[in-house]
Amino acid sequence: MAAFFRHGVSKTAQVLPPKNVLPRSYATKAEKKKGIDRKPTPKLDSTMDSIAAKGFLRPIKPYTPPPDVEITLTEIFKGIIGKSELDTKVVELNDRFKLFSACAAKLGHSIPNSLLHQIETLEQVLKFYATPVDTRTPLDKMRSMELPENLHVQFEYCRWNPMDDKKFKGITAFPESSTIITSIRYKDKYKGHIQKPRAPPV
């Protein structure tokens, strides 16, 4: 948008009014010189919520915090930082490396690179390792859920195939619809078929 105003726009171009332009979450160099600052980037809370909302789409391993995760982390904090107060900030690079490495080795769950710069205190470290990571799809989660009595989920669904159909003798209600399996994962599990066009009436 700034480039359009800098180099000019054509007479037929439509420029959105300022109230319709979405605000940026960061300040430019010119704005900083004028003393204008914007809100900082989201901290750990919003990032963890984002991961929790779409965790099954990310290539990460599932993680279940142990019952004594707080006691375990407190011992690590005292051994490396020398303190266990949750408001203690970890600033030194060597301390951060030793702390994060020890936590990952003890709990088998490492902090991703996208969150390293956002974790500043021991409280945030504890919150990260106390948060479970569920990589199951919403459909798989229903297997362990207590569903309402009027809801039934068929996990192993059936695909109609004219070669296996005995009830309707291969006659389908969708004569121009084929079932094509494009997934490498499911091509051996489900059979596909090419629906032949129906013969024209005589």
Side-chain angles (χ1 to χ4, degrees):
M1 180 63 70
F4 288 126
F5 287 104
R6 187 182 304 114
H7 300 289
V9 294
S10 62
K11 295 181 179 179
T12 58
Q14 182 179 2
V15 180
L16 295 175
K19 64 179 180 179
N20 293 334
V21 179
L22 295 177
R24 297 188 305 273
S25 60
Y26 60 92
T28 61
K29 292 182 178 180
E31 290 173 339
K32 289 181 179 180
K33 290 181 179 179
K34 296 179 181 179
I36 301 175
D37 196 6
R38 297 180 183 269
K39 295 182 179 180
T41 56
K43 288 295 182 181
L44 187 63
D45 294 340
S46 60
T47 306
M48 292 300 295
D49 292 341
S50 176
I51 293 177
K54 54 183 179 181
F56 65 95
L57 297 177
R58 297 173 61 88
I60 56 178
K61 296 180 180 180
Y63 167 72
T64 302
D68 58 342
V69 61
E70 187 173 355
I71 300 175
T72 302
L73 290 176
T74 302
E75 295 176 355
I76 296 176
F77 295 161
K78 291 181 179 179
I80 296 177
I81 306 299
K83 299 179 181 179
S84 60
E85 290 77 10
L86 297 180
D87 58 347
T88 303
K89 289 190 175 182
V90 187
V91 181
E92 296 293 334
L93 294 180
N94 291 334
D95 293 341
R96 290 173 64 86
F97 176 78
K98 293 178 182 178
L99 177 62
F100 297 159
S101 299
C103 293
K106 185 68 175 180
L107 299 173
H109 181 52
S110 59
I111 302 175
N113 294 337
S114 59
L115 294 179
L116 286 175
H117 69 287
Q118 296 184 6
I119 295 182
E120 300 174 352
T121 63
L122 298 181
E123 182 180 5
Q124 292 175 332
V125 177
L126 176 60
K127 185 174 182 179
F128 174 82
Y129 280 101
T131 304
V133 178
D134 193 354
T135 58
R136 296 177 300 170
T137 62
L139 180 62
D140 291 334
K141 290 181 181 180
M142 292 184 180
R143 296 177 184 268
S144 58
M145 293 172 55
E146 186 177 352
L147 301 177
E149 296 181 357
N150 61 343
L151 176 61
H152 174 72
V153 180
Q154 184 176 358
F155 297 100
E156 298 297 332
Y157 55 89
C158 300
R159 286 179 178 266
W160 184 86
N161 192 300
M163 302 300 295
D164 302 333
D165 180 45
K166 297 180 180 180
K167 186 175 183 180
F168 301 102
K169 298 180 180 181
I171 300 176
T172 175
F174 306 96
E176 298 181 0
S177 178
S178 302
T179 301
I180 301 176
I181 310 299
T182 58
S183 173
I184 299 177
R185 179 180 180 182
Y186 293 108
K187 70 175 183 178
D188 296 332
K189 185 176 181 180
Y190 302 106
K191 294 181 181 179
H193 78 281
I194 303 297
Q195 185 67 35
K196 297 180 180 179
R198 182 181 297 178
V202 179

